[in-house]
Every structure is written in structure tokens, then in C-alpha cells.
Amino acid sequence: MKNNIKGVIFDKDGTLLKFTDIWRLSLEELFDYYELGEADKIEIRQVVGVNEDCSIRENSILASGTIADLAEVFSKYVHKSKEALDKEISDFFLAYLAKHPELIVGTCDVKKCFDALKKLDIKVAVITADSFKQAKLSFEMLGVYDEIDFLAAADFYPNKPDPSSLDAFCKDFGLSRKEVAVVGDSLIDLELGKVAGLAVGVTCGVGTKEMLMKDADIVLDTPLDLISVLRQVNKY
């Protein structure tokens, strides 16, 4: 590798935060909010990525899609515009998140990971398909929001793998794309990583090692394992 890594972009859910039951449980409450029937619920679960065993399907809408993607699905069952549903669902999830802080759990010691990156003079970014308010609240609950140098959310930037948020991060800190590593648990994350300097898959989310190995430069168990990799890459 010709360039040292000077910035790291993390995905949020499944990468930094455990994919707990938060999205599946909040989805079930959303069904009740819109008073949907059982047949509609079954169809929506299948479309958005909830398996019969209640696990989340890799690369599905719930795994890596946006609120706008969910709103489009719900618009087929609820007589409201996609724009109205986008706002309602976003507000619903934000309120659900605030009521259930116990569901915000790191995939590793996230603070230790961020602190180690700072000591290596590496900038920390998060790019998520969530809204900015949801992401900010999640990281505040985890106690690491102030350590994030750049937070890009789906209500301000096009969703991954569009490189707009990558380029904004690079511009803010004077980096080139090749000086940035992208860490995630989905093919969408790794597709963004391909135009950056390093594509890192992590198996702590919904992506299997076999799936991630197809597109990742390296596959790790958790983001914390990245520290030793970067020490080797940057020859610290």
C-alpha cells in the first residue's frame, strides 16, 4: 500500500453498534402504529429483510437501507405520501431509540477503538443510513459522540456507496480517498471501500465472512482489531 491511512470511516449498525433487536422490535411497534393487518406485516417483514427466525438478512433494507427506503415500502400499505412517511417513521424510530437505551450496545469497546485511532493521529468518521438525529443520539448514549470527527447521515448525504460523504470527509481534513479506510459489515460498505484506500469487512454484524471476503481487502472480527492492522499498514 502506497498511502498511509489517515482517516477511518465506520458504518454504524452491525459495525460499531451491535445489531440488537432494536430495529426488529421497533418495526413491530411501527406496524401497530399504522394498524397494519397480519398479512401486510408478513409481506413487509420479507421485503425489508426480517427472516422467519427473526434474524436480519444481510444487505437488506433493515441491514443497510435508509428511512426513505422503509417509507417507500410502507407507502404501499399506508395511504400517505412517501415524504410524509419518511418524516413520521424517522420521528418514530428516534422516539423508540430514546425509550430503549439498553438496546444501544457496542460491538467492541468503541471508546477504546476511537482513543487508539486518535493516538495514531487518525481521523474518525461514521457514515450511516440512519438520520443524523438517530445516529447522534445513539453515540451519545454510548458515550463516544464527541470523539467522532465527522458524522454523515442519510438525511444530509446520498446513501453509500455514493462517495459524496467520503469526499466531504476528505475535503474537511485534507485527505485523499486513498488515505481513508472504510469499515463495515455489508457489501454497500465495501463497495465504498473499493474507491477508498482500504476496504475492511467486520463479522460482528449481519454480513458473513464468506460474503465479506468477496469484496474486502481484509476481514476482521470487530473494529477494535483494526488498530493492529493500521499499525502494520502505517508502519508505526
Side-chain angles (χ1 to χ4, degrees):
M1 176 174 288
K2 295 180 180 180
N3 296 297
N4 281 0
I5 296 299
K6 299 179 181 179
V8 177
I9 291 173
F10 294 98
D11 171 52
K12 175 178 165 282
D13 292 316
T15 299
L16 292 173
L17 300 184
K18 284 185 180 179
F19 224 101
T20 62
D21 279 339
I22 187 166
W23 295 117
R24 184 182 62 82
L25 293 175
S26 59
L27 180 68
E28 294 301 316
E29 287 204 10
L30 191 62
F31 289 152
D32 294 337
Y33 178 80
Y34 286 121
E35 299 181 341
L36 295 178
E38 195 57 40
D40 290 344
K41 293 178 185 180
I42 292 172
E43 287 184 8
I44 293 173
R45 289 187 194 108
Q46 174 60 32
V47 172
V48 303
V50 180
N51 297 319
E52 289 187 4
D53 62 359
C54 294
S55 63
I56 304 300
R57 190 167 65 248
E58 60 186 19
N59 303 312
S60 64
I61 290 175
L62 274 191
S64 53
T66 65
I67 297 296
D69 295 328
L70 271 178
E72 184 170 357
V73 173
F74 271 79
S75 68
K76 298 177 175 64
Y77 302 86
V78 179
H79 298 299
K80 293 186 178 183
S81 69
K82 286 186 287 186
E83 291 75 19
L85 286 169
D86 194 332
K87 185 180 186 308
E88 281 188 2
I89 293 173
S90 181
D91 290 345
F92 180 92
F93 282 150
L94 184 65
Y96 187 91
L97 183 64
K99 288 189 297 183
H100 296 280
E102 74 280 0
L103 294 176
I104 305 301
V105 181
T107 58
C108 62
D109 189 332
V110 177
K111 188 177 189 309
K112 182 178 179 181
C113 179
F114 286 0
D115 286 345
L117 290 171
K118 299 287 183 166
K119 288 179 181 178
L120 298 177
D121 198 26
I122 294 174
K123 297 297 182 183
V124 174
V126 177
I127 298 178
T128 175
D130 285 356
S131 72
F132 183 85
K133 287 182 179 179
Q134 291 166 12
K136 182 175 184 287
L137 180 59
S138 296
F139 289 118
E140 285 175 340
M141 288 177 171
L142 203 62
V144 297
Y145 175 70
D146 290 339
E147 298 191 48
I148 299 172
D149 298 301
F150 182 91
L151 176 58
D155 44 358
F156 290 100
Y157 294 93
N159 196 26
K160 296 170 288 189
D162 187 292
S164 298
S165 48
L166 164 64
D167 290 336
F169 174 51
C170 289
K171 182 179 180 181
D172 279 1
F173 296 99
L175 306 176
S176 71
R177 286 184 176 183
K178 294 305 178 182
E179 291 175 320
V180 177
V182 178
V183 184
D185 68 316
S186 74
L187 293 180
I188 290 175
D189 300 317
L190 299 180
E191 191 171 342
L192 180 63
K194 285 181 178 180
V195 301
L198 188 66
V200 182
V202 286
T203 58
C204 50
V206 297
T208 62
K209 185 173 183 179
E210 292 72 23
M211 182 272 288
L212 295 168
M213 286 179 65
K214 295 176 183 177
D215 291 299
D217 295 311
I218 187 169
V219 177
L220 306 172
D221 291 332
T222 76
L224 192 56
D225 298 320
L226 179 67
I227 306 305
S228 59
V229 172
L230 292 182
R231 289 185 182 278
Q232 295 175 4
V233 168
N234 291 357
K235 297 181 172 60
Y236 288 109

